[in-house]
Amino acid sequence: MLKPSSKAASVRFEGVTKIYGTDVKAVDNVSLDIAAGTLVTLLGPSGCGKTTTLRMIAGLEMPTTGRILIADTDVTRLPATDRDVSMVFQSYALFPHMSVLENVSYGLKFSGFNKAETRERALAGLEIVGLSGYGSRLPSELSGGQQQRVAVARALVLEPQVLLFDEPLSNLDAKLRRKVREDIREIQQNLGLTVVYVTHDQEEALAVSDRIIVMNNAVIAQDGTPRDLYEAPASRFVADFIGEANILECTINAVKDGLAEAEVGGYKLKLPARDMQPGSAYLGVRPNRVEIAKAGIKNALPGTIIRKTYVGNHLEYTVKTDQAELFATTSDVDSAFNVADTVSVIFSDRGPVLLAE
Ligand code: ADP
Ligand code: MG
């Protein structure tokens, strides 16, 4: 068995900018800190700069300005071959003519291990990804999910300071994606690895990460735990990108002791001000925090149910109000409200959050 990593290292970006050619700013003055032994995800829409950020950690791209530190050592100008970092690609990039064991052994041969050690480590790597006994097969004799595991094993056995994954699950079908992501997380935790993981899939990010760095247009939109991002998104972009959110215009009437008195269509709410000032703002509310109650409640939003969908373990409602169509979910599958009913909409305590533009 492979032992917990003693080499897992921190990663630090200090004001890193990457410009391709003369004018494509792929990463714009990004600073971040990734603690050793944690799994941090870079999450964001296509083109926001995730892969470029990852490739700069690997040394496959050089920053235009700024500094990169691994284990507190400045590696900004160090080429990929001199960094102790491994990357798992979306396409697996296995050698088709080599057996599984040879693929996993490949990097070890250049790392100063003798033949017996190389074989032993490679076998241990296969064991950890659940592929003991597959060593003599060719990659073409494996399923997509198994090939991806071989790619993971090949990176793992090098015991790098940092392990990088660029959208590792995108070639797998939905069921396998869940299994492989759980495996990656388990291996990372068991071996105490530093992993930087790139995805555009918010559910995947929420499921595997200690921390998520949300990127948008080459900058960091928010950096926090999955729960921070879900329950306290910093902006409309993050609220919208991480899970579903209802977004409503509101007015902040007053702010006192960190609490805002806000109002949306006559519905008055008291909630954390999050440093915002009186004036117009936005309210983000998760569907599971939107409650439907009988019509006529005084402090609430009046509305009409326009859609009701039964999806097995919960119900989904769409309610039309003067402000917006609100999407609500409830685990009460016996809920008696039906399409065309007039109702009151209220938001659960700690449900709505104020959002800046
Ligand atoms: P992501 O991985 O989030 O989809 P990328 O880091 O691949 O984003 O790309 C960020 C931006 O940089 C995009 O506008 C992309 O077109 C551009 N870009 C990426 N690689 C290159 C390159 N080698 N040359 C020029 N532009 C590039
Ligand atoms: Mg990419």
Side-chain angles (χ1 to χ4, degrees):
M1 280 299 272
L2 290 178
K3 291 198 240 358
S5 172
S6 52
K7 282 166 54 196
S10 60
V11 178
R12 183 180 172 89
F13 273 35
E14 294 177 354
V16 170
T17 293
K18 173 67 184 180
I19 300 171
Y20 289 112
T22 52
D23 60 348
V24 181
K25 211 179 245 185
V27 172
D28 187 1
N29 193 22
V30 161
S31 296
L32 54 81
D33 267 303
I34 293 170
T38 61
L39 191 158
V40 173
T41 297
L42 303 174
L43 172 70
S46 180
C48 70
K50 306 180 297 294
T51 294
T52 302
T53 302
L54 209 62
R55 288 175 64 84
M56 287 195 288
I57 299 173
L60 297 167
E61 299 289 352
M62 293 291 150
T64 310
T65 56
R67 291 210 312 158
I68 297 176
L69 294 94
I70 296 179
D72 299 323
T73 301
D74 190 330
V75 299
T76 312
R77 298 290 144 201
L78 214 56
T81 45
D82 294 341
R83 295 191 196 185
D84 192 359
V85 171
S86 302
M87 188 147 164
V88 177
F89 298 91
Q90 181 177 338
S91 59
Y92 319 146
L94 300 178
F95 299 112
H97 58 286
M98 286 187 193
S99 72
V100 164
L101 191 64
E102 286 166 340
N103 266 283
V104 177
S105 307
Y106 186 75
L108 291 169
K109 285 191 280 194
F110 305 103
S111 304
F113 291 101
N114 69 31
K115 231 174 163 178
E117 287 165 344
T118 296
R119 186 180 161 79
E120 193 184 324
R121 281 187 83 83
L123 288 171
L126 284 177
E127 184 182 346
I128 214 161
V129 298
L131 286 179
S132 292
Y134 287 77
S136 57
R137 294 207 196 179
L138 289 173
S140 59
E141 295 171 315
L142 300 180
S143 70
Q146 291 170 329
Q147 290 180 37
Q148 182 60 299
R149 281 158 202 256
V150 175
V152 172
R154 183 177 58 181
L156 275 180
V157 295
L158 297 172
E159 217 189 291
Q161 286 181 305
V162 186
L163 187 54
L164 308 175
F165 288 89
D166 194 359
E167 312 239 4
L169 311 183
S170 30
N171 290 331
L172 305 178
D173 64 48
K175 215 170 182 176
L176 212 50
R177 275 209 290 272
R178 188 185 197 98
K179 170 86 177 99
V180 177
R181 85 182 185 209
E182 284 167 1
D183 290 346
I184 289 174
R185 176 60 160 163
E186 193 181 322
I187 292 168
Q188 179 267 330
Q189 288 185 318
N190 287 343
L191 299 183
L193 305 172
T194 306
V195 168
V196 187
Y197 189 101
V198 161
T199 181
H200 64 271
D201 181 334
Q202 51 93 15
E203 188 198 318
E204 195 177 316
L206 289 172
V208 299
S209 313
D210 290 304
R211 244 177 65 223
I212 300 174
I213 297 173
V214 184
M215 294 185 70
N216 188 26
N217 290 332
V219 300
I220 294 177
Q222 192 173 358
D223 178 343
T225 64
R227 195 156 183 159
D228 288 339
L229 298 187
Y230 192 78
E231 295 186 355
S235 62
R236 289 179 67 186
F237 172 80
V238 176
D240 229 15
F241 198 77
I242 309 255
E244 282 178 285
N246 295 288
I247 298 195
L248 299 112
E249 285 180 47
C250 71
T251 307
I252 301 176
N253 293 323
V255 176
K256 211 177 129 196
D257 299 332
L259 275 186
E261 289 173 22
E263 186 175 330
V264 48
Y267 180 17
K268 293 195 165 66
L269 301 153
K270 251 195 188 146
L271 69 180
R274 309 184 82 197
D275 293 332
M276 296 177 60
Q277 300 305 316
S280 59
Y282 290 90
L283 209 56
V285 196
R286 298 295 179 192
N288 62 339
R289 303 288 188 163
V290 176
E291 291 177 26
I292 296 171
K294 63 180 193 325
I297 290 181
K298 221 167 166 203
N299 195 32
L301 281 179
T304 305
I305 295 178
I306 58 172
R307 203 171 300 124
K308 178 181 185 180
T309 312
Y310 172 77
V311 284
N313 59 357
H314 69 273
L315 281 177
E316 299 179 349
Y317 283 111
T318 306
V319 187
K320 191 168 167 30
T321 69
D322 284 344
Q323 287 67 36
E325 281 186 10
L326 298 175
F327 182 61
T329 60
T330 172
S331 56
D332 175 17
V333 290
D334 299 319
S335 165
F337 297 107
N338 286 305
V339 171
D341 286 356
T342 55
V343 294
S344 301
V345 175
I346 48 179
F347 303 139
S348 326
D349 280 350
R350 292 187 292 119
V353 291
L354 286 171
L355 301 172
E357 185 50 56

